[in-house]
Amino acid sequence: MTDILTLVFRTFMSQTDVRKEIGVSPPSRTASSTLIVGDHSISHSVLLLTAVTAASEMGMKVMFFTQTKIQKLPVSLQKCVPSLNPESLKKIKFSYPRTVEELLLQVASLHESTNTSPTPPSLIIVDRLEGYLCGSGGGSHSGYHLDEQSRTAHLSALLCDSAAFLTHLLEQRSSSSAPCRLIASFQSEVDTGDAAGETSATDPILDVLDRYFQVRCTLDRDRSYQAAAAGLQEMWHIYLSGRGMTEASSAKDCEDRTGEAKEWQLLIFPDGLMEFKLV
């Protein structure tokens, strides 16, 4: 269920990890949706790294929605992929809807663009859902009066429906990129539970998102002495949870422990280099 994220973690695995374990498994043929929950600056970097890895390593066409203009890749990504082929970046289409209405319209238009596009997107990424969903009108300027939970359900349902539609289209075209995956990020303003990513039902928006997204990827910063002593700028724990992980684990007995690993660490060095470590 998390094959794209797992590919990212494996590709940029820490040099101290066992290198023989990083062979890339064939992508799952089961549609998946993942919600990254945590600090928006880190989730933004992870989403960009995911988009670049999917495009360059798997040849996937990526649709990346964000409110923030991306002028150039962050230093962290330049450190991770210094020799990136510019042709790979052409597989990523960035779109900048400002409000929830604009995002809804652009997601809905994915159905229409497939009539003229020879290759539909096989990865949809939405950066910072809270910018569209939370606060007064969710960034709305034209009378979109649904409450936050209704907006969340409406947008989530449309995203999942669009991913399912594109999956069907990709399968009809016998594309090796099927199914279409969906990954989004969300930063909650309230305490959402314990470090392992289990929700404490304190954020109603996150509760709604969890109904639609099969996997939760929780980012939790490690502020202990260990991180500072290791000479790191930051260290983050990454916890994978949700019904998608449970279904994947029960579907098969995976011998490769990185295939369904539920906990990783993200190491960020002073020069901006990002590495992932299997826990």
Side-chain angles (χ1 to χ4, degrees), residues 54 145-146 185 206 238 254:
H145 296 304
L146 291 176
S185 67
L206 194 53
I238 302 175
C254 184

Side-chain angles (χ1 to χ4, degrees), residues 246-260:
T246 303
E247 291 167 2
S249 298
S250 61
K252 64 177 180 178
D253 182 16
C254 184
E255 295 180 359
D256 181 357
R257 71 191 186 98
T258 63
E260 301 297 343

Side-chain angles (χ1 to χ4, degrees), residues 37-263:
V37 179
D39 182 270
H40 66 78
S41 63
I42 299 302
S43 63
H44 180 72
S45 295
V46 172
L47 287 179
L48 281 172
L49 191 58
T50 301
V52 169
T53 303
S56 60
E57 297 294 327
M58 300 182 70
M60 298 173 68
K61 186 175 179 181
V62 182
M63 190 71 221
F64 196 113
F65 295 103
T66 178
Q67 290 178 312
T68 306
K69 288 281 185 179
I70 299 174
Q71 305 294 342
K72 61 180 181 179
L73 293 179
V75 173
S76 57
L77 267 72
Q78 296 179 34
K79 290 285 184 180
C80 290
V81 283
S83 58
L84 179 66
N85 184 348
E87 289 299 313
S88 298
L89 291 179
K90 293 181 180 179
K91 295 181 180 295
I92 307 172
K93 180 179 180 181
F94 292 98
S95 184
Y96 303 101
R98 295 167 300 171
T99 66
V100 67
E101 302 104 307
E102 290 183 7
L103 179 58
L104 286 165
L105 288 172
Q106 291 187 28
V107 171
S109 71
L110 290 175
H111 296 68
E112 301 169 1
S113 63
T114 57
N115 295 325
T116 56
S117 174
T119 309
S122 48
L123 175 60
I124 301 172
I125 293 177
V126 185
D127 183 28
R128 298 193 65 178
L129 280 173
E130 73 278 0
Y132 296 104
L133 298 173
C134 300
S136 178
S140 172
H141 299 292
S142 59
Y144 192 74
H145 296 304
L146 291 176
D147 62 41
E148 290 181 351
Q149 288 174 273
S150 297
R151 280 199 302 270
T152 302
H154 188 186
L155 177 57
S156 298
L158 181 60
L159 284 166
C160 291
D161 178 70
S162 297
F165 174 84
L166 293 173
T167 292
H168 179 67
L169 194 63
L170 288 164
E171 290 174 344
Q172 281 187 325
R173 300 185 183 187
S174 301
S175 172
S176 60
S177 296
C180 177
R181 285 85 166 175
L182 169 63
I183 302 178
S185 67
F186 177 80
Q187 182 173 8
S188 175
E189 295 182 352
V190 298
D191 179 18
T192 56
D194 61 30
E198 295 300 326
T199 180
S200 60
T202 56
D203 189 332
I205 303 302
L206 194 53
D207 281 348
V208 175
L209 290 170
D210 278 336
R211 297 176 200 163
Y212 291 89
F213 287 84
Q214 298 160 306
V215 175
R216 167 95 73 87
C217 175
T218 303
L219 305 175
D220 181 42
R221 186 170 182 177
D222 188 328
R223 301 182 184 276
S224 68
Y225 173 75
Q226 178 187 359
L232 299 172
Q233 178 177 312
E234 297 177 20
M235 182 165 75
W236 293 78
H237 294 279
I238 302 175
Y239 302 100
L240 298 172
S241 59
R243 66 184 185 281
M245 297 298 296
T246 303
E247 291 167 2
S249 298
S250 61
K252 64 177 180 178
D253 182 16
C254 184
E255 295 180 359
D256 181 357
R257 71 191 186 98
T258 63
E260 301 297 343
K262 295 184 178 181
E263 183 177 350

Side-chain angles (χ1 to χ4, degrees), residues 3-22:
D3 54 331
I4 302 298
L5 281 182
T6 299
L7 172 64
V8 174
F9 300 161
R10 288 177 165 187
T11 301
F12 302 100
M13 188 178 279
S14 169
Q15 297 294 320
T16 59
D17 275 14
V18 182
R19 304 301 293 178
K20 69 179 182 180
E21 291 194 15
I22 67 169

